[in-house]
Amino acid sequence: MIELVFPDGSKREFESGATGRDVAASISKSLEKRSVLVKLDGALLDLDRPLPKGGAFELLTRDSPAALETIRHDASHVMAEAVQELFPGTQVTIGPAIEDGFYYDFARSEPFSLDDLPKIEQRMREIVDRDEKISREVWAREAAIEHFKSIGEDYKAEIVADLPEGDEISVYRQGAWKDLCLGPHLPSTKFVGKAFKLTKLAGAYWRGDHRNAQLQRIYGTAWASDADLEAYLLRIEEAEKRDHRRIGATMDLFHIQEEGKGMIFWHPKGWTLYRTLQNYVRRRMEAEGYVEVKTPQVLDYSLWEQSGHAQKFGANMFVCETDEGEKLALKPMNCPGHLQIFNHGQRSYRELPMRMAEFDGLHRYESSGSLHGLLRVRGLAQDDAHIFCREDQIEAESKAFVELLQVIYRDLDVELDSVKLALRPDLRFGDDEIWTIAEDTLERAANAAGVKVERLENEGAFYGPKLEFHLRDAIGRTWQCGTLQLDYVLPERMDASYIAEDGQKHRPVMLHRAILGSLERFLGVLIEHYSGAFPLWLAPVQVVVATITSDADEYALKAVDVLRKAGLRVESDLRNEKINYKVREHSLAKAPVIAVVGRREAELGQVALRRFGSTGQEVVSLLEAANMLALEAVPPDLAVRATGDQRSPHGVVGAMEAG
RNA sequence: GCCGCUUUAGCUCAGCUGGUAGAGCACCUCAUUCGUAAUGAGGGGGUCACAGGUUCGAGUCCUGUAAGCGGCACCA
């Protein structure tokens, strides 16, 4: 007998060997009909699988949020069956559920074309209509390998062969079709429903390794209802409208052209945005005791060999040779440069921790296929800094960093998607004992700052583990922005030292850290996050002074002048157009404030302010507007001082500096 | 780098089975001076990504190259 505990807390005993369906049937016929899965002690099981033990028990219907992942997984199987019916000879490999949908990787010599997708969808709908029963079988390992080999499914045979000894080999039969799969699955194909759509074709390597064969991946999305599917498609469409590349073009922020792929041409407005953000972070860092430096763009290749970057990333560096036979490289990062400054002269323990920052441009030869708007580029700048410190300072410095990062992300209104702790990679310097200490220290510091981390095996840098801070773009892709990397190796390789209390030379530890990461990437995410409607302090153009008739031209120019002198970024629109036209145009351009002036305002020395997103007007005197808007436009790090009591004289000056 | 797709005016896109290029917006000119989301008329603008090929004839068909897009791999 097994004892099941139901969600309402009641308990009942069942014969061992009872299935979820038996339990459902014992409660009511309709519940049996509606149930699709079982949740036992948190794990999902097939409805028709004998319950292996007692425990917390729940029957899931198709509408249950927990069933959605299984609907998607089953959709991938239905797709695989459809593909094998339509394209005999295609091998199946793996096909999991993913966020918002599913994919399946196929091996086939002939490529799929986009025209195939509707045909596959059609066949999928037929398979759903056939209502094929899905059942689980457990096979012997050798028999499974033999079977899959005999039907030409070499990839499946390989998967079986690689399953750990002792694992059950489960095969799911779905009508006449079958697939090796861990499960669970729905009782039959009709439960998959028809709220799915195949969305894209892609290449993907077998087992994620580029040395392996390339498979063809078909992606799809699947939902419990048509309404959910439509809502999802609409969400994607909306998200595409805020794509930073599109907004970058319409707001005239930047462009990229053929001759400089992966390189950004920042236009005046985009560069204003860039500088505003950069100045903000710079101030935040200065307030935390960072000092800023500037190191050379081009350095001798031998320095990169000494640092170890040449060995690991040489293929990704821009290298040139001079007529005199020197081999030089464009810097892909600042750390070796910073070590040169640290090493210049003798350092004392009294100088530690030394927090050395730099915003200079970096160049990395990223593979052509990885380039992506502002989010992955070849020419970039980081809010980069290296903290040289003693081992006993690592934790406090790391914690302070994570706290600073949280302050900055809060000011910028971005939300962290996840924080990952990337652990030792195969290719690495340094011994394992140090790696263990380093990994644990980072995790402790992050936890101390109130951040939960997700451990990622094998993803660390070659010189140390790292904390990665991931942000999410408009359509749900995540991008690493902030990073904190602990490094015992580079100080060793570059022979950095300081004199400690004991009068002896000691090796400092180095923390590589960035909060925005690449300014380019961060701006890409930020543009999408705000959909171009930046808060006043960040907006490239903060106020547009628009005239109603040419009578007000002279006054409008005076208003522009007054607002600019208050530190605001102002443009004028004196064109011979109707005010409706101007309001529409600047609203579409997401100008935070439109200051309308007509004959009335000119006579009374006023402006009529219209805020983005509102249709109301606020008529105030020009001076009042200048003071009020200047105060509102103060960057968040200066706002406390500007509105606060003491040390406030820098408030408004700060706002001007940010312009 | 790999797989698939795309590339026509500044932008968004139309152009059927090959017959010598079109719209809207933007831009320029003129008229209009109009109080909070598009005033009207006129005008200029294209080596149809680039290089080959097939053809009497190529934006259209074929091949190659480049860039872009979607993934994969990579990401100090």
Side-chain angles (χ1 to χ4, degrees):
Chain A
M1 297 294 269
I2 53 172
E3 186 181 62
L4 300 181
V5 183
F6 291 87
D8 65 0
S10 63
K11 296 176 182 173
R12 261 181 76 187
E13 295 217 320
F14 287 86
E15 297 287 337
S16 50
T19 64
R21 185 182 298 281
D22 296 335
V23 177
S26 78
I27 296 168
S28 79
K29 199 78 195 153
S30 77
L31 184 62
E32 183 196 344
K33 264 194 168 159
R34 285 185 296 121
S35 296
V36 297
L37 285 168
V38 162
K39 194 187 243 180
L40 184 63
D41 279 344
L44 296 184
L45 289 180
D46 304 315
L47 187 67
D48 288 306
R49 183 163 170 190
L51 298 170
K53 55 171 187 168
F57 179 89
E58 194 180 342
L59 286 160
L60 301 182
T61 60
R62 198 176 170 278
D63 318 319
S64 154
L68 187 54
E69 191 178 331
T70 308
I71 290 175
R72 289 175 178 154
H73 186 188
D74 283 28
S76 89
H77 278 223
V78 169
M79 174 168 78
E81 182 178 357
V83 165
Q84 291 201 310
E85 283 183 8
L86 290 167
F87 307 96
T90 302
Q91 288 191 63
V92 290
T93 66
I94 57 156
I98 53 173
E99 186 170 9
D100 297 336
F102 59 91
Y103 69 78
Y104 210 112
D105 285 346
F106 299 100
R108 177 178 179 236
S109 47
E110 188 94 348
F112 291 113
S113 86
L114 285 173
D115 301 335
D116 295 329
L117 298 189
K119 295 178 208 154
I120 298 170
E121 277 179 7
Q122 180 51 37
R123 182 61 63 97
M124 287 171 71
R125 283 189 281 270
E126 290 167 24
I127 293 171
V128 169
D129 283 336
R130 283 186 221 152
D131 192 20
E132 296 175 351
K133 189 169 158 42
I134 302 175
S135 54
R136 180 177 189 270
E137 297 171 7
V138 176
W139 288 25
R141 176 180 299 260
E142 288 312 315
I145 294 174
E146 278 314 303
H147 170 76
F148 285 116
K149 276 193 181 155
S150 75
I151 58 170
E153 296 282 4
D154 299 330
Y155 289 93
K156 282 290 174 194
E158 189 180 327
I159 295 172
V160 178
D162 286 353
L163 284 175
E165 265 328 306
D167 274 21
E168 263 190 359
I169 312 253
S170 54
V171 171
Y172 279 81
R173 210 177 272 280
Q174 172 176 307
W177 188 79
K178 55 185 169 314
D179 195 7
L180 170 81
C181 186
L182 196 58
H185 284 285
L186 305 170
S188 70
T189 55
K190 90 170 171 208
F191 292 102
V192 170
K194 293 186 182 169
F196 59 77
K197 185 174 165 50
L198 302 186
T199 51
K200 48 200 175 194
L201 277 178
Y205 299 103
W206 168 235
R207 300 202 147 155
D209 189 328
H210 68 280
R211 289 164 300 195
N212 290 340
Q214 188 152 34
L215 307 171
Q216 295 184 61
R217 177 172 296 180
I218 302 178
Y219 281 94
T221 184
W223 299 83
S225 70
D226 288 339
D228 288 352
L229 173 63
E230 268 168 47
Y232 167 75
L233 295 175
L234 194 67
R235 196 177 92 212
I236 294 297
E237 205 177 303
E238 286 302 312
E240 278 167 2
K241 284 189 196 155
R242 50 166 72 198
D243 187 303
H244 71 279
R245 292 163 295 196
R246 180 197 286 246
I247 292 177
T250 55
M251 289 185 77
D252 194 20
L253 300 178
F254 65 90
H255 85 270
I256 307 173
Q257 63 190 46
E258 276 198 32
E259 293 84 349
K261 62 175 171 166
M263 307 283 185
I264 311 299
F265 287 80
W266 285 103
H267 296 196
K269 286 177 189 160
W271 189 240
T272 297
L273 182 62
Y274 191 110
R275 279 165 39 234
T276 304
L277 180 65
Q278 192 183 47
N279 287 340
Y280 158 78
V281 187
R282 176 177 276 135
R283 285 191 309 269
R284 279 274 185 227
M285 286 169 68
E286 280 172 354
E288 294 298 313
Y290 286 80
V291 290
E292 188 171 330
V293 299
K294 163 99 171 70
T295 60
Q297 281 282 341
V298 179
L299 287 165
D300 199 276
Y301 199 72
S302 62
L303 194 71
W304 304 106
E305 287 171 335
Q306 195 194 342
S307 71
H309 292 98
Q311 293 85 317
K312 182 95 205 269
F313 294 105
N316 295 310
M317 288 168 65
F318 286 98
V319 178
C320 67
E321 272 178 42
T322 66
D323 284 348
E324 298 178 5
E326 301 162 289
K327 190 175 182 189
L328 305 170
L330 239 55
K331 71 171 165 185
M333 40 148 44
N334 295 311
C335 13
H338 289 186
L339 272 155
Q340 303 314 306
I341 294 180
F342 185 87
N343 286 349
H344 201 82
Q346 209 163 43
R347 297 292 173 191
S348 152
Y349 72 95
R350 295 175 197 279
E351 295 177 80
L352 305 185
M354 182 185 287
R355 309 183 187 91
M356 196 182 288
E358 178 161 3
F359 293 87
D360 205 16
L362 305 173
H363 292 88
R364 300 174 175 187
Y365 182 73
E366 303 283 5
S367 69
S368 56
S370 65
L371 300 176
H372 185 109
L374 292 177
L375 299 181
R376 189 82 181 267
V377 292
R378 287 180 172 171
L380 62 134
Q382 298 179 321
D383 57 328
D384 196 14
H386 296 95
I387 302 174
F388 298 92
C389 64
R390 297 191 314 246
E391 231 165 289
D392 63 344
Q393 294 170 323
I394 295 173
E395 196 166 336
E397 287 299 311
S398 300
K399 177 166 176 275
F401 166 78
V402 176
E403 284 166 352
L404 178 60
L405 176 137
Q406 288 173 302
V407 166
I408 289 176
Y409 284 8
R410 193 195 63 214
D411 280 350
L412 295 169
D413 196 31
V414 294
E415 252 183 75
L416 267 183
D417 179 76
S418 57
V419 181
K420 291 168 181 161
L421 176 63
L423 308 168
R424 66 195 79 181
D426 293 335
L427 205 60
R428 61 175 183 265
F429 295 137
D431 59 53
D432 284 359
E433 196 183 330
I434 286 182
W435 273 91
T436 303
I437 296 171
E439 289 165 354
D440 292 347
T441 308
L442 280 188
E443 180 157 18
R444 251 196 336 273
N447 291 340
V451 170
K452 286 258 175 306
V453 304
E454 188 183 317
R455 292 172 85 95
L456 275 187
E457 302 296 334
N458 214 13
E459 296 278 323
F462 67 91
Y463 48 71
K466 55 183 181 182
L467 282 173
E468 296 177 357
F469 299 81
H470 293 255
L471 299 181
R472 180 177 277 258
D473 75 7
I475 53 176
R477 291 175 291 209
T478 64
W479 299 88
Q480 186 198 313
C481 291
T483 183
L484 173 65
Q485 307 175 11
L486 186 42
D487 183 1
Y488 288 90
V489 174
L490 215 52
E492 176 84 34
R493 288 182 72 93
M494 310 291 272
D495 194 27
S497 65
Y498 65 91
I499 308 295
E501 291 102 315
D502 59 8
Q504 301 298 306
K505 275 193 178 180
H506 288 260
R507 191 74 74 201
V509 180
M510 195 172 175
L511 296 174
H512 306 246
R513 43 113 293 156
I515 287 173
L516 307 182
S518 137
L519 271 289
E520 282 72 10
R521 170 178 300 177
F522 196 89
L523 278 167
V525 174
L526 212 55
I527 288 167
E528 299 191 355
H529 177 70
Y530 287 119
S531 195
F534 298 104
L536 193 63
W537 73 276
L538 269 176
V541 175
Q542 297 171 315
V543 185
V544 177
V545 177
T547 51
I548 293 170
T549 66
S550 52
D551 296 343
D553 283 2
E554 197 182 328
Y555 175 69
L557 291 173
K558 180 187 164 197
V560 167
D561 190 49
V562 168
L563 293 168
R564 279 196 182 140
K565 290 214 161 91
L568 293 156
R569 298 185 284 268
V570 189
E571 280 189 354
S572 61
D573 184 353
L574 310 184
R575 290 175 303 170
N576 177 12
E577 296 288 351
K578 290 188 173 177
I579 192 61
N580 286 335
Y581 180 88
K582 295 184 185 182
V583 165
R584 177 184 150 82
E585 196 172 273
H586 299 302
S587 297
L588 289 174
K590 300 174 181 172
V593 179
I594 304 172
V596 175
V597 297
R599 197 172 297 150
R600 211 154 59 214
E601 286 75 16
E603 276 167 19
L604 298 171
Q606 295 176 322
V607 288
L609 303 181
R610 180 183 165 128
R611 310 278 182 153
F612 177 74
S614 126
T615 53
Q617 298 166 45
E618 191 184 354
V619 182
V620 294
S621 78
L622 179 55
L623 287 179
E624 230 175 302
N627 282 327
M628 176 173 76
L629 294 173
L631 198 62
E632 281 179 43
V634 172
D637 62 309
L638 299 172
V640 179
R641 285 187 254 167
T643 53
D645 43 0
Q646 74 290 50
R647 318 170 284 241
S648 71
H650 297 298
V652 172
V653 177
M656 293 174 76
E657 178 201 332

